[in-house]
Amino acid sequence: MTTPPPSAPPPYGQPSPGPQPGYPGFAPAAPPAYRGQPPAYAGPGGSLPRKRPRQPVQMWDVVLTIVFLVALIVYTALASFAGLFLVMASDSCGVRDCSTELITTGWLIGTLVPWAVLVGAAIWAIVFMVKRRLAFYIPLLGAVGVTLVLVIAFFVTSAGVPTA
């Protein structure tokens, strides 16, 4: 069997001999894919590919995270209470020249910033629990953050009181 020679294009104004709309064998071109749409191919089972199944909830992690968050609330309250006593650094300022700005700044840092660390750690832990990721260590990191804030507040306050 021989293949026929290529045919010349039809004269101007004549329809092409290929498939045309309304005739058998004509298939319109597929519309372009838009972003965000799933691919237009089917998987081996004839269905579209599916997302990965979500991880199961790990109950021990949820319980431990909640217990640690409650402990972090108590620890933050105690740290903030300790921060209130930083104002006593100004007791010896009657005899010496002290920087009341530094003492006040250290006192405010030690009293208020631990609560901001608590709120940040709580939000972060809740987001991790909703995403079903391990979250028990986040309140522990929050406790380290509260401790660091209190230490920084002590240093700022002590910088406002000159040594004898």
Side-chain angles (χ1 to χ4, degrees), residues 74-101:
V74 172
Y75 182 66
T76 302
L78 291 173
S80 182
F81 185 68
L84 287 174
F85 289 101
L86 289 174
V87 77
M88 287 187 200
S90 65
D91 286 349
S92 64
C93 289
V95 180
R96 304 180 193 161
D97 276 339
C98 295
S99 172
T100 56
E101 292 84 15

Side-chain angles (χ1 to χ4, degrees), residues 61 65 124-126 128-129 133-139:
D61 179 55
T65 303
W124 192 15
I126 290 169
F128 267 48
M129 286 190 292
R133 295 177 63 190
L134 289 181
F136 73 92
Y137 62 91
I138 294 174

Side-chain angles (χ1 to χ4, degrees), residues 38 51 71 107 131 159:
K51 288 183 179 179
W107 170 69
K131 289 185 174 185

Side-chain angles (χ1 to χ4, degrees), residues 56-79:
V57 175
Q58 295 180 359
M59 216 49 193
W60 66 269
D61 179 55
V62 173
V63 170
L64 197 60
T65 303
I66 291 172
V67 168
F68 283 166
L69 280 173
V70 170
L72 181 61
I73 292 171
V74 172
Y75 182 66
T76 302
L78 291 173

Side-chain angles (χ1 to χ4, degrees), residues 4 18 23 32 35 38 40 55 58 61-63 68 86 89 95 104 108 114 122-123 130 137 151-152 155 157 160:
Y23 289 99
R35 291 182 186 202
Q55 287 183 336
Q58 295 180 359
D61 179 55
V62 173
V63 170
F68 283 166
L86 289 174
V95 180
T104 304
L108 288 173
I123 290 171
V130 167
Y137 62 91
V151 168
I152 290 170
F155 279 122
T157 303

